[in-house]
Amino acid sequence: MTSRNRSRRTAAAAALALALAGLTAPASASTGHTHPATTATSTPSATAATTSAPAGEHPTSPHAGSWKPTQYDTCSAQLHDSYQVIAPDGMKYEGWHPSSVTDPATGERCTFGHEHGDDPKTSKIYQWVIGKLGGETNGIPFGYAAAQTDLAAGGVLPHRHEDDPGQKVIVRNDVKQLRADRTGCAKGADGKPIVCSYLMKMHQGSHSSDALKNNAHELLYAARCSDGTELMVDTLALFGQPNQFQENCSDTIVKTTGSQLPASKAGKRLIPNTDCVQKYVQSGPKASSDVWGVYENWQAESTITGPDGKAKASFDPWFGVRNPSQVGSGSDGVPTASLYTSATKAYPWSTMDGPLEQQDPASPFNGAQRDVYVHNTTVANAGGLTTWYTDAYGNNASDKPFAGSVKQYVSATSNTGLPELERRAYGFSTDYGPKGSGVHAPN
């Protein structure tokens, strides 16, 4: 194991171990896909749907309405569709909903089998983000940037269609910006500590082979800080290279096949594979003690460039999954719960009586135990243009909208003089799919 990777694994191990020690085994498909370009810590609340549009008023995007209940789900596709929201293009897309609701047609509680993380309406900057998205937007649309790849002029962009269960919302309010040198808070020009609120929507389909081969995943990233720093961008962020991922236990690159997405030098997807699980969790001297054995961590390193060709903003959040329903094994992966053996005493296999299928609601591996790391939100746009348009991958910036463009916003400020900030981890005790929620893979 490299020293760099060992440091990463050690940095939050104590917090994660304590969080996992207090958890019980959780109770009781579609995948993202691409095709080549052609010459074309919140707990989810059980609020009712509030984003339905009158029938026929807004067309439904081809990227919406694909979810269908499995044998384990009791909510209907029609009820799921009632949570669709209107996006900036005037079309309806999938939106946030609780993992279980009362079905108005029956008056009974029903489950969707998947969850979307934090309720975006709990964010202090929710209404501000809706305003920056523009148009008739009335919620956080899932897959909006990805849908714009269909409209790119000349079909020059690889098309991206990401599944609904993999769409996750992250809310963090009033986060103090601590200095990496541990000497206190970073301060603004007024001498006061800087506090930021974040609202993110990330596609992290860790349940499918999409995670192992495709490197482009939609990331809506919004931050608003007390020093005037503001950012609201929606792009297909690149998490490392296509057709590969990195072992979470060693950083070793594992080759896969099937993706035709663009290459990138930024970001990475650290994913457990069968070798890591067997070596660090199921056998050897660290068996039953290394909570990182099945830990999945997606690391973004995104930059937004303005129409003048200059970098205007950068941000680098990380997204962790502590109980992924799949681990890597070639290009397709295998269900984590299927790796059970009678000799395995490590948690959470120790709560099982035998191997389980990936979708089984009894599996403790449902991808619902997630955390997030927030770090730098750097803006270098003093006095500059605040709103422009890019393609779905955040490139080809223009001050005017164009076919397949996505609106981006960066405040006319600069915080490049700030010291390096500490990377803050949140959510090590968060479980979006606890016992009785009905959440299971695909999720």
Side-chain angles (χ1 to χ4, degrees):
M1 184 187 304
T2 65
S3 60
R4 178 168 58 88
N5 192 57
R6 186 180 298 109
S7 298
R8 187 194 75 247
R9 290 162 62 90
T10 302
L16 182 54
L18 288 173
L20 287 177
L23 295 176
T24 58
S28 55
S30 56
T31 63
H33 70 267
T34 64
H35 63 65
T38 62
T39 51
T41 269
S42 300
T43 299
S45 59
T47 53
T50 58
T51 54
S52 299
E57 182 176 334
H58 295 276
T60 300
S61 167
H63 284 237
S66 61
W67 181 82
K68 298 293 185 293
T70 71
Q71 60 178 318
Y72 301 113
D73 310 324
T74 54
C75 290
S76 67
Q78 291 75 18
L79 182 56
H80 188 270
D81 290 347
S82 71
Y83 287 88
Q84 290 177 348
V85 303
I86 304 170
D89 61 2
M91 302 184 77
K92 291 187 291 184
Y93 290 77
E94 307 294 6
W96 185 91
H97 60 75
S99 59
S100 65
V101 297
T102 298
D103 189 340
T106 64
E108 301 292 331
R109 202 73 178 168
C110 69
T111 59
F112 290 108
H114 63 273
E115 46 74 28
H116 293 302
D118 299 321
D119 182 345
K121 292 184 179 178
T122 63
S123 170
K124 287 189 173 182
I125 63 173
Y126 173 74
Q127 290 297 339
W128 177 80
V129 170
I130 297 301
K132 293 304 179 186
L133 286 169
E136 299 179 71
T137 305
N138 67 346
I140 304 299
F142 295 167
Y144 173 69
Q148 305 316 302
T149 59
D150 282 342
L151 305 176
V156 296
L157 293 180
H159 166 68
R160 194 77 172 97
H161 192 146
E162 298 175 316
D163 68 347
D164 175 71
Q167 304 284 2
K168 309 301 182 185
V169 175
I170 304 98
V171 172
R172 296 307 312 175
N173 291 319
D174 299 329
V175 176
K176 290 184 178 180
Q177 305 298 286
L178 301 183
R179 297 171 58 108
D181 59 13
R182 304 297 180 90
T183 59
C185 293
K187 297 181 179 180
D190 58 2
K192 297 180 180 179
I194 300 171
V195 177
C196 300
S197 289
Y198 303 89
L199 175 55
M200 292 173 268
K201 195 287 301 175
M202 166 67 181
H203 181 270
Q204 191 172 15
S206 62
H207 57 268
S208 76
S209 61
D210 184 61
L212 306 177
K213 58 189 178 183
N214 288 318
N215 62 331
H217 299 266
E218 185 172 282
L219 171 59
L220 183 150
Y221 182 90
R224 200 176 191 192
C225 305
S226 58
D227 67 342
T229 299
E230 296 179 345
L231 186 65
M232 205 300 299
V233 298
D234 188 9
T235 66
L236 290 171
L238 299 180
F239 293 82
Q241 295 280 24
N243 294 316
Q244 69 179 44
F245 65 91
Q246 291 173 254
E247 287 185 347
N248 73 327
C249 61
S250 67
D251 280 349
T252 299
I253 293 175
V254 179
K255 295 293 186 179
T256 59
T257 60
S259 179
Q260 299 185 61
L261 290 173
S264 171
K265 295 181 179 179
K268 63 175 64 174
R269 302 185 314 288
L270 291 163
I271 296 175
N273 63 2
T274 53
D275 290 340
C276 292
V277 171
Q278 292 165 358
K279 181 178 180 180
Y280 288 100
V281 183
Q282 294 186 315
S283 64
K286 300 183 72 174
S288 79
S289 64
D290 191 352
V291 295
W292 296 101
V294 292
Y295 190 62
E296 186 169 309
N297 191 330
W298 295 27
Q299 302 180 6
E301 295 180 22
S302 295
T303 299
I304 296 296
T305 301
D308 60 1
K310 297 180 180 179
K312 301 297 184 180
S314 61
F315 47 97
D316 56 354
W318 295 358
F319 305 93
V321 184
R322 301 188 301 281
N323 66 335
S325 65
Q326 166 194 261
V327 296
S329 179
S331 297
D332 295 321
V334 297
T336 316
S338 72
L339 299 178
Y340 171 93
T341 70
S342 59
T344 300
K345 298 179 180 180
Y347 181 88
W349 285 278
S350 59
T351 67
M352 299 167 55
D353 296 323
L356 295 171
E357 294 182 353
Q358 186 181 26
Q359 289 192 12
D360 194 320
S363 171
F365 300 99
N366 62 6
Q369 296 174 13
R370 297 191 304 280
D371 43 75
V372 64
Y373 302 70
V374 293
H375 190 210
N376 295 320
T377 302
T378 302
V379 170
N381 192 39
L385 183 71
T386 60
T387 301
W388 59 85
Y389 303 84
T390 70
D391 63 30
Y393 288 87
N395 301 319
N396 300 312
S398 171
D399 58 359
K400 297 180 177 59
F402 54 89
S405 65
V406 182
K407 183 180 179 182
Q408 316 291 2
Y409 171 81
V410 180
S411 59
T413 61
S414 176
N415 65 357
T416 56
L418 288 180
E420 178 71 11
L421 299 178
E422 180 180 343
R423 186 175 293 279
R424 308 288 301 279
Y426 296 92
F428 280 150
S429 61
T430 303
D431 188 348
Y432 295 103
K435 184 177 181 179
S437 66
V439 173
H440 60 85
N443 174 53

